[in-house]
Amino acid sequence: RAWQDQGLPKVRVAVNLSGFQLQAKNFVKSVEEILKETGLEGEFLEFEITETVVMQNPEFAVNILTQLRDKGIHISIDDFGTGHSSLAYLKQFPISTIKIDRSFIGDIPLDKDDVSITLAIINMAKGLGINTVAEGVEYEEQIGFLQSHGCTLMQGYYYSKPISLDEM
């Protein structure tokens, strides 16, 4: 919110959410209070939660994540493909983004298995109306491959190494 107050372009900021935080009593109410106190609109906040955490108690997660989505908050499933997700639950989760784990991105477009898995995730997400983010992008060849197959959001060292708030 401070960046918006400084006149910088409005951007969505992603925050990693732990299973402990997700299950905290009154978590949704706390988030509502923080949004109200700061004046930040929910659309500029994204919670990233790992597939493993979501699958520990899927029914509970659907309920909490739906409440957050109803506040305008975006929900991302992080490290997708590394946990034990059920595709039956995936269609029920109120998510806007799937982040394809770096373990599948590192050797594309050369490794045919990684290519197959990555394409399956991109195509499945497209069919469900969900965005995809490729994690761990380091080379132009990866960008070309991912863009040509409909994954337009990417993060990784190709763009920037992690930086401090002051550097940002």
Side-chain angles (χ1 to χ4, degrees), residues 131-152:
N131 295 317
T132 51
V133 175
E135 297 181 303
V137 173
E138 297 183 11
Y139 307 105
E140 283 187 42
E141 295 79 16
Q142 293 167 320
I143 294 169
F145 172 84
L146 291 163
Q147 285 178 335
S148 70
H149 293 287
C151 179
T152 56

Side-chain angles (χ1 to χ4, degrees), residues 98-158:
I98 291 175
K99 297 184 78 176
I100 305 168
D101 189 72
R102 67 182 302 112
S103 63
F104 303 121
I105 302 301
D107 292 326
I108 61 169
L110 303 176
D111 184 290
K112 67 180 179 64
D113 294 335
D114 287 342
V115 164
S116 294
I117 291 168
T118 300
L119 290 178
I121 294 170
I122 292 169
N123 289 325
M124 176 189 62
K126 272 191 221 175
L128 294 170
I130 298 171
N131 295 317
T132 51
V133 175
E135 297 181 303
V137 173
E138 297 183 11
Y139 307 105
E140 283 187 42
E141 295 79 16
Q142 293 167 320
I143 294 169
F145 172 84
L146 291 163
Q147 285 178 335
S148 70
H149 293 287
C151 179
T152 56
L153 301 171
M154 298 166 223
Q155 68 183 59
Y157 283 178
Y158 180 84

Side-chain angles (χ1 to χ4, degrees), residues 59-124:
E59 292 85 6
F60 175 80
V62 166
N63 180 35
I64 297 297
L65 297 177
T66 299
Q67 290 179 57
L68 294 169
R69 187 216 40 216
D70 290 347
K71 307 288 178 225
I73 298 167
H74 293 257
I75 307 295
S76 295
I77 300 297
D78 199 9
D79 302 332
F80 187 81
T82 62
H84 304 285
S85 68
S86 164
L87 297 180
Y89 278 114
L90 184 60
K91 70 179 185 176
Q92 295 176 21
F93 289 130
I95 58 174
S96 55
T97 304
I98 291 175
K99 297 184 78 176
I100 305 168
D101 189 72
R102 67 182 302 112
S103 63
F104 303 121
I105 302 301
D107 292 326
I108 61 169
L110 303 176
D111 184 290
K112 67 180 179 64
D113 294 335
D114 287 342
V115 164
S116 294
I117 291 168
T118 300
L119 290 178
I121 294 170
I122 292 169
N123 289 325
M124 176 189 62

Side-chain angles (χ1 to χ4, degrees), residues 30-71:
S30 295
V31 171
E32 287 174 338
E33 289 171 2
I34 291 169
L35 290 175
K36 185 175 181 180
E37 178 184 311
T38 62
L40 183 69
E41 297 170 47
E43 70 180 291
F44 297 110
L45 178 60
E46 180 170 335
F47 283 131
E48 292 184 7
I49 185 162
T50 65
E51 175 182 10
T52 303
V53 166
V54 169
M55 292 310 299
Q56 287 173 349
N57 189 344
E59 292 85 6
F60 175 80
V62 166
N63 180 35
I64 297 297
L65 297 177
T66 299
Q67 290 179 57
L68 294 169
R69 187 216 40 216
D70 290 347
K71 307 288 178 225

